[in-house]
Amino acid sequence: MEAAITILALLFVAFIALGVYATVKAVGAAKRGVDRTITQARRTVEDTTLRAKSFGQTGVAGELAQLRLDLRTSMRATQDALHAGVAEDSSLAESLSLFRRLSAHGLELDEELKRLEREPDRATVAGLLPQLRERTQRITHSADSLRWAARDRARQFADDDLDALNAQIDIEAGALRHWTVEEQQPGQAPGAAYQGSGAGGARGRDAGVDWPEPAARAGNSSTADESWGGPAREEAPQAITAPDPHLRTKYPWQKSTRPETTN
C-alpha cells in the first residue's frame, strides 16, 4: 500500500514538473515572439521616420537621416540574403562571418549618426559630414558586394542545374521518339529505309507493324505463320488419289442452276 502511494506521489510530482516546464517554454516562446514583433514594429517606425526626415528636412538633419537610411537598408538586405542562402549553401558561412564583423562597424556608425542628430552644434556636425559619408559608403559598398556575390552564386548554381536538366530532357525526348523513320538513302529501294533491328534482320516495317510475306508457296506456309508470332502449322498430308468431285463441298452461291426438264 505504501509503495502504491509513493508511486502515485512520484507521478503527481512528475506531472507537476512537466507542466511547469511546458508553461515556462510556452511563456518563453511567447515572450520571444512579442519581442520580435516589438523590434520589427520599432524598426519600421524608425525607418519611416528616417525616410520622412530625409525628404522633409534639409541641411545637416536631412543628410544624417539619409545616411542612416542608406546604411540600415543595405545592411538589412545583405543580412537577409546571407541568412537565406547559408541554409542551402554552406560555403556562405564564411561570408556570414565576415558580415557579422562588418555589422559591428555598421552598428557603431549608426549609433554615431543617431547621436549627431541630437547635436545642437550644427556647424561641427556639418564639418564631420564628409567623413561620415565616406564611412557609410565604404560599409554599404562592402555589404552590397557580399549580397550580390551571394545572389550571383545562387543564380549560377540554378543555371548549371537548369542546363543539366535540359540536357537530360533532350536525351529522354530523343529516346521517346524511337519510332522516327530514318531518311531514305539515295539509290535505296523504296522499302529499304524501313529496317528493323532483329537478330537476322526483320521484315519491312510500316507504322511499327511487321508485315509477313504472302504465303504463295505451300512450302512457305510455316514461315508465314512464324512471322506473326504464332506456332507453325503442319502441312496437310497430300491424298494419294484425287478426291471425288461429287463429294466436294460447295457453297450455295457456287452451285450452278439445275436445268429444267420437260416431260
Side-chain angles (χ1 to χ4, degrees):
M1 188 65 182
E2 294 180 357
I5 295 175
T6 304
I7 293 175
L8 291 176
L10 291 176
L11 289 176
F12 179 75
V13 172
F15 284 135
I16 293 297
L18 183 61
V20 172
Y21 176 77
T23 303
V24 171
K25 294 292 289 184
V27 171
K31 184 177 182 300
R32 287 192 298 269
V34 171
D35 291 341
R36 284 195 300 268
T37 303
I38 294 175
T39 303
Q40 184 67 27
R42 184 184 297 114
R43 183 182 303 167
T44 303
V45 171
E46 193 169 1
D47 290 344
T48 304
T49 304
L50 290 175
R51 190 172 290 106
K53 288 182 179 181
S54 63
F55 286 108
Q57 295 182 359
T58 58
V60 178
E63 184 72 18
L64 291 175
Q66 185 63 46
L67 290 178
R68 288 191 64 196
L69 184 62
D70 294 341
L71 177 64
R72 294 163 65 91
T73 302
S74 177
M75 298 296 288
R76 188 176 301 119
T78 304
Q79 179 180 357
D80 294 341
L82 292 179
H83 279 288
V86 75
E88 299 178 357
D89 187 4
S90 59
S91 61
L92 293 179
E94 182 65 25
S95 300
L96 190 59
S97 176
L98 293 175
F99 175 75
R100 291 193 183 99
R101 295 172 57 186
L102 183 64
S103 296
H105 294 277
L107 292 174
E108 181 181 356
L109 178 59
D110 185 68
E111 290 295 331
E112 184 176 355
L113 292 173
K114 189 175 181 180
R115 287 193 305 267
L116 291 176
E117 286 181 349
R118 299 187 297 267
E119 178 64 38
D121 190 0
R122 295 300 180 182
T124 304
V125 177
L128 295 176
L129 278 179
Q131 180 183 359
L132 296 173
R133 190 182 301 111
E134 182 184 359
R135 287 178 60 189
T136 304
Q137 290 177 354
R138 291 176 60 185
I139 294 176
T140 55
H141 176 72
S142 298
D144 294 342
S145 298
L146 283 175
R147 183 174 69 255
W148 285 110
R151 290 178 178 176
D152 292 342
R153 181 180 178 86
R155 183 170 60 252
Q156 183 62 37
F157 285 163
D159 292 340
D160 293 343
D161 184 69
L162 182 60
D163 292 339
L165 180 60
N166 288 336
Q168 294 178 0
I169 290 176
D170 292 340
I171 295 175
E172 182 65 18
L176 292 175
R177 294 191 182 96
H178 63 277
W179 67 84
T180 303
V181 181
E182 298 179 357
E183 296 182 359
Q184 182 178 351
Q185 301 296 331
Q188 192 177 11
Y194 302 92
Q195 295 180 357
S197 59
R203 304 294 184 185
R205 294 181 179 271
D206 186 6
V209 180
D210 294 334
W211 296 102
E213 295 182 356
R217 296 185 300 271
N220 294 336
S221 60
S222 60
T223 305
D225 291 335
E226 291 176 357
S227 64
W228 286 97
R233 293 179 299 179
E234 297 180 356
E235 298 182 359
Q238 298 182 357
I240 299 177
T241 58
D244 190 356
H246 297 287
L247 299 178
R248 184 179 301 171
T249 304
K250 293 184 178 182
Y251 293 97
W253 58 81
Q254 292 178 336
K255 296 180 180 180
S256 57
T257 306
R258 182 178 299 177
E260 297 181 358
T261 57
T262 55
N263 294 329

